[in-house]
Amino acid sequence: MIPLFSKFDDMRAIIDSLVASGRNPFDMRFERILSATEAVLEGRPCLLFGTNNYLGLTFDATCIEATVRAVHEGGTGTTGSRIANGTYCDHALLERRIAEFYGKRSAMIFTTGYQANLGLISTLAGREDHLLIDADSHASIYDACKLSAAQVIRFRHNDPEDLAHRLRRLKGHPGSRIIVTEGIFSMLGDSAPLREIAAVKREMGATLIVDEAHSLGTRGKNGRGVCEDAGIESDVDFVVGTFSKSLGAIGGFAVSDLPDFDLLRIVCRPYMFTASLPPAVVGSVTAALARICTDKSLSARVLSHSGRLYSALAQAGFETGPEPNPIVALKMPDKETAVRFWNRLIDRGVYANLALPPATPASLSLIRCSISAAHTEAQIDRAISVMVAVGRELGVLDPRPGKTPVDLTRSLPI
Amino acid sequence: MTNNATNIEAQIVELLAQRIPAGIQVSAQTQIVGGLGLDSVAILDFIMDVEDRFDISIPLDRVAEVQTIAELSRAIEALRRTAN
């Protein structure tokens, strides 16, 4: 027999060892989703802190209504791609709304956020070109690089000096230089120094792509992400994003001011050769986008919750990412402790993400929490108290029984 | 083997030693991928160290072709020739 799967023996061993330590983190099954922040897991209610449902819109009444209406009007699916089956009015409307939201000339929607990066980056970067990507980039950016014919160079994470240095090394080489980075990075929740990166881009005459998957709706005065916060929106040639996090559905997009942008529709294979988004998704995303344009309280709430969770866990003694964002990561001393920590959180009714190398930067083992505007303060405090208790039990924190940092109005015990 | 190649290999080994547990012996024939317990991200981080030491860029498609320290050394030599 051909050992077709033997190349995955290492992965099989990893899964076997994870299962032996408790649960399989890649195959968690929720019996029921109760709300944006609660589900039934193993027969018991569980608080959700690993969903990326930043604005909590998955159960928003207006979005659900728009979905139902869209299904009745447009059917359950488009059954093909836009180049073959055509564009529905609502695809075009959503693209106009996204372009307006970003104040850009054009927008293109993709069937997933993964495909947005895959399509945009692999198509823009041709054989003579160089892609310079942040070392901590998401898998979709790495996969786009594999699909592209360009030369790919990593620069050190969030290091504009290193980026400039690597760009200078390319002096004399033909072709375009395309810089790819993210607004907020998905594992540690740290944001990119976009003001400095934009300065390097201008100095070197490069093109800049920023993936705002985790920052749409959570950062910037109008929810346009870290680019808006940094005041560099006019320097960014392409913003990429997703509908699957703050907008509560699925899909991806890219926006740009470049006049030839629409040419991508006939050369970008991950856009051309897959079925377009179904009416239900287009309907709910259009409603969700309208909601975040009119209701600024959602982003204020998720940021306030994030600060509450981040400060309490940092003050309790956890080693966290560098800044409070809707992703809060706790660095574990080793893989085994991370696995035990994650299992124990679930035993106590808190679901977060277990993030292990090589999916993490610098071989870190992480407990990754994502925070939602739909969480209540009581839910945030419950998660804090469970995490601190488990941290003490497992020796990640100094054991000081009887002290749980739920009152954030005073200094927390360390 | 030229002195230049020996010198490059020695520098690669020195950089690699900073990323693997002490006591692991490496030679020109050591497999970088799979042979040292480094995961894919750790290997790419090691390649960045190599790029900075030799002041070159090693595109990811070239990295994918490299299995051993000797092969990495040859790739570095070739890229330096192109750069000059």
Side-chain angles (χ1 to χ4, degrees):
Chain A
M1 198 174 92
I2 302 166
L4 202 52
F5 287 87
S6 61
K7 59 176 92 59
F8 305 120
D9 284 350
D10 288 357
M11 287 310 296
R12 192 199 308 272
I14 289 169
I15 295 293
D16 289 349
S17 121
L18 285 168
V19 170
S21 313
R23 302 171 175 90
N24 179 352
F26 306 112
D27 191 22
M28 294 301 293
R29 296 177 188 201
F30 295 98
E31 285 114 58
R32 241 184 104 197
I33 304 296
L34 302 172
S35 70
T37 60
E38 286 172 297
V40 177
L41 181 62
E42 299 170 2
R44 288 174 294 122
C46 174
L47 286 179
L48 298 175
F49 276 86
T51 61
N52 299 329
N53 195 353
Y54 300 127
L55 302 184
L57 291 180
T58 48
F59 282 83
D60 180 83
T62 322
C63 296
I64 291 176
E65 238 173 72
T67 306
V68 173
R69 200 169 48 243
V71 172
H72 282 297
E73 286 172 8
T76 54
T78 64
T79 64
S81 72
R82 285 171 66 181
I83 58 162
N85 294 28
T87 288
Y88 289 20
C89 287
D90 288 348
H91 289 133
L93 175 69
L94 177 55
E95 286 180 335
R96 274 202 306 282
R97 292 275 184 271
I98 293 165
E100 283 162 17
F101 175 71
Y102 281 97
K104 298 283 186 186
R105 178 186 174 124
S106 317
M108 240 173 106
I109 58 175
F110 292 81
T111 306
T112 66
Y114 174 90
Q115 283 165 311
N117 270 333
L118 197 70
L120 181 76
I121 296 167
S122 69
T123 309
L124 284 176
R127 192 162 298 282
E128 293 281 284
D129 303 327
H130 281 85
L131 278 162
L132 291 106
I133 66 168
D134 185 285
D136 286 5
S137 289
H138 186 259
S140 57
I141 295 172
Y142 275 97
D143 290 356
C145 290
K146 266 193 180 173
L147 193 61
S148 153
Q151 306 268 290
V152 182
I153 294 162
R154 296 164 90 223
F155 62 92
R156 292 191 191 277
H157 175 55
N158 276 353
D159 188 340
E161 265 306 303
D162 188 70
L163 168 65
H165 190 60
R166 283 165 204 277
L167 278 163
R168 279 194 287 271
R169 274 193 198 133
L170 295 176
K171 203 173 165 208
H173 286 268
S176 303
R177 285 87 167 103
I178 302 168
I179 302 164
V180 186
T181 190
E182 301 182 28
I184 293 178
F185 286 85
S186 64
M187 284 294 132
L188 288 172
D190 48 338
S191 52
L194 288 182
R195 206 167 296 138
E196 292 79 4
I197 286 174
V200 171
K201 173 249 165 164
R202 283 194 304 271
E203 187 196 329
M204 301 285 185
T207 295
L208 178 58
I209 300 177
V210 180
D211 180 350
E212 298 262 30
H214 297 274
S215 29
L216 161 63
T218 66
R219 291 280 303 267
K221 189 164 155 268
N222 296 292
R224 296 200 297 264
V226 180
C227 294
E228 185 184 15
D229 256 349
I232 52 103
E233 288 176 283
S234 58
D235 287 312
V236 181
D237 299 284
F238 302 90
V239 172
V240 185
T242 178
F243 302 146
S244 65
K245 296 179 170 64
S246 287
L247 297 177
I250 190 169
F253 66 88
V255 296
S256 179
D257 267 335
L258 296 178
D260 290 333
F261 182 73
D262 280 321
L263 274 176
L264 288 172
R265 295 185 195 275
I266 50 165
V267 289
C268 176
R269 297 167 67 88
Y271 170 86
M272 296 160 67
F273 297 106
T274 194
S276 60
L277 282 172
V281 170
V282 174
S284 83
V285 171
T286 308
L289 190 63
R291 178 80 200 278
I292 69 170
C293 288
T294 51
D295 185 356
K296 302 283 185 273
S297 72
L298 291 171
S299 65
R301 204 169 148 77
V302 71
L303 287 181
S304 150
H305 283 343
S306 304
R308 189 180 182 92
L309 187 80
Y310 180 90
S311 321
L313 295 175
Q315 287 181 55
F318 280 110
E319 206 185 327
T320 61
E323 57 183 305
N325 266 320
I327 297 163
V328 173
L330 306 182
K331 297 181 190 175
M332 295 287 118
D334 50 63
K335 267 188 215 176
E336 293 69 27
T337 308
V339 171
R340 273 202 296 278
F341 198 109
W342 176 78
N343 274 293
R344 230 173 256 204
L345 287 183
I346 295 171
D347 293 341
R348 313 275 171 89
V350 175
Y351 178 78
N353 303 126
L354 175 64
L356 299 175
T360 53
S363 298
L364 289 166
S365 296
L366 303 171
I367 297 296
R368 176 191 180 276
C369 309
S370 52
I371 296 96
S372 174
H375 281 127
T376 62
E377 287 184 354
Q379 288 175 329
I380 301 279
D381 292 344
R382 170 75 190 147
I384 293 166
S385 95
V386 169
M387 286 180 200
V388 170
V390 172
R392 287 178 178 149
E393 284 164 23
L394 296 181
V396 179
L397 301 176
D398 283 341
R400 300 266 187 93
K403 292 185 176 181
T404 46
V406 289
D407 182 359
L408 299 174
T409 56
R410 59 186 166 80
S411 176
L412 295 164
I414 293 176
Chain B
M1 188 187 294
T2 64
N3 281 343
N4 196 21
T6 315
N7 178 34
I8 293 174
E9 281 173 14
Q11 292 191 62
I12 295 172
V13 168
E14 184 199 325
L15 291 169
L16 200 50
Q18 294 164 17
R19 292 196 173 265
I20 57 174
I24 294 183
Q25 293 299 313
V26 289
S27 72
Q29 295 320 312
T30 297
Q31 294 277 330
I32 301 170
V33 180
L36 297 166
L38 294 175
D39 66 40
S40 52
V41 174
I43 289 168
L44 293 180
D45 289 345
F46 156 66
I47 293 292
M48 279 212 274
D49 297 344
V50 171
E51 288 178 320
D52 288 344
R53 172 67 65 92
F54 295 99
D55 197 22
I56 52 167
S57 288
I58 312 176
L60 292 190
D61 57 339
R62 291 293 287 274
V63 175
E65 291 165 4
V66 165
Q67 294 288 320
T68 65
I69 289 174
E71 286 168 8
L72 179 57
S73 169
R74 283 196 290 277
I76 292 166
E77 264 193 286
L79 285 163
R80 284 170 114 187
R81 273 199 303 274
T82 324
N84 291 328

